[in-house]
Amino acid sequence: FPLVSMCGSYHATKDWYPRCASSWDRIRGTEKVVVLDDGTLTDEDQGRIESHGYDVWSIEAVNERVEPALHSYPALRSLREESPLFRKIVDPNILFADEERVLFMDSDIHVRGAVDLPSDAPDLLYTVGDVSGYRGGVLLPLQHPVTAGLNAGFMYWNPSIVELAFLNELAERYLLQIDNMWWTLQSCWAAVAGRTDQKGAFDGRDVCNVSGLSKRTPAEVKDNVTKW
């Protein structure tokens, strides 16, 4: 399976980024690591990322493959143009549509040791956040089931469960009207998870979100205990 991340110059120049990125090769079973340029990577940034043995795909190259697939989905195309965050769900599902599984990781994920992802995983595995933020039209959770607690920073899924027509519906009816796009990506993933029968959350001993330590003890983080 491909391991996919997205990065821009803001993250690529942080001290913690190379420490995180260099740890990703500890995940066994990846056929390649692909870092999607959010459009701001410099040549120097790209060189540092490629020094880890990873492929960097420019936004121009990705757009050549993604934009034709969005021709019939104008709302989703507009949402992707308005918020680069949505490239995290739209682009991998088009670029790797023929894969059985895709692993997406945010830039700030650190892998502590050699790990294997389960071969018998359900169609979607996600992490649990301390307080998962969702934003969108007020009718979204009333008209579609959504999965509570989902954090989109570490996702392992079968691309066949993500239908562009459904994402376009979410964009048109619930997301494009929102002034602040922050947290709308998680709303989108939560709605996809809500209609997916075969799904589950990673055990906190394997994958955990360590944000919110002022609100949770280390034991609660380890056990994926939320405070909401």
Side-chain angles (χ1 to χ4, degrees):
F1 59 88
L3 189 164
V4 185
S5 189
M6 190 172 79
C7 187
S9 192
Y10 176 80
H11 283 161
T13 55
K14 300 300 182 185
D15 291 340
W16 49 261
Y17 181 75
R19 293 198 294 270
C20 289
S22 63
S23 74
W24 298 346
D25 60 4
R26 295 171 180 166
I27 298 178
R28 299 190 180 110
T30 57
E31 60 180 271
K32 56 187 170 185
V33 177
V34 175
V35 177
L36 305 178
D37 176 9
D38 74 355
T40 65
L41 286 179
T42 65
D43 291 342
E44 185 178 356
D45 297 332
Q46 181 173 335
R48 284 196 298 266
I49 296 172
E50 290 176 337
S51 70
H52 300 298
Y54 305 155
D55 296 333
V56 177
W57 291 6
S58 71
I59 190 170
E60 293 81 11
V62 170
N63 284 344
E64 286 183 4
R65 297 175 59 184
V66 170
E67 290 178 349
L70 297 177
H71 179 74
S72 300
Y73 307 105
L76 185 57
R77 185 172 65 248
S78 297
L79 188 63
R80 179 180 178 270
E81 292 172 354
E82 184 172 337
S83 173
L85 291 173
F86 277 87
R87 294 185 56 210
K88 294 182 178 183
I89 186 172
V90 174
D91 294 12
N93 281 293
I94 294 174
L95 297 170
F96 304 104
D98 296 331
E99 298 283 351
E100 293 185 4
R101 289 288 188 277
V102 174
L103 173 64
F104 184 90
M105 296 169 49
D106 273 347
S107 299
D108 57 356
I109 300 292
H110 183 265
V111 182
R112 294 180 60 194
V115 293
D116 290 294
L117 290 174
S119 59
D120 58 348
D123 288 334
L124 173 64
L125 279 175
Y126 58 91
T127 53
V128 173
D130 57 322
V131 179
S132 292
Y134 298 152
R135 180 177 278 125
V138 66
L139 294 179
L140 172 56
L142 301 177
Q143 297 177 335
H144 296 279
V146 297
T147 296
L150 182 147
N151 181 280
F154 190 93
M155 305 285 287
Y156 186 56
W157 78 97
N158 182 337
S160 67
I161 68 171
V162 182
E163 299 177 8
L164 296 181
F166 179 63
L167 298 186
N168 189 73
E169 177 188 352
L170 294 177
E172 183 175 20
R173 298 180 61 186
Y174 310 108
L175 302 177
L176 277 174
Q177 302 87 348
I178 304 302
D179 293 332
N180 186 342
M181 285 286 128
W182 198 248
W183 299 125
T184 51
L185 172 64
Q186 289 199 163
S187 299
C188 198
W189 264 120
V192 170
R195 70 203 304 256
T196 302
D197 293 330
Q198 301 297 320
K199 61 177 177 287
F202 284 102
D203 189 302
R205 292 167 295 180
D206 297 325
V207 183
C208 63
N209 185 326
V210 297
S211 66
L213 284 174
S214 62
K215 300 185 290 293
R216 297 191 298 169
T217 66
E220 288 171 332
V221 170
K222 183 178 179 180
D223 294 336
N224 267 336
V225 175
T226 59
K227 291 267 183 104
W228 48 271

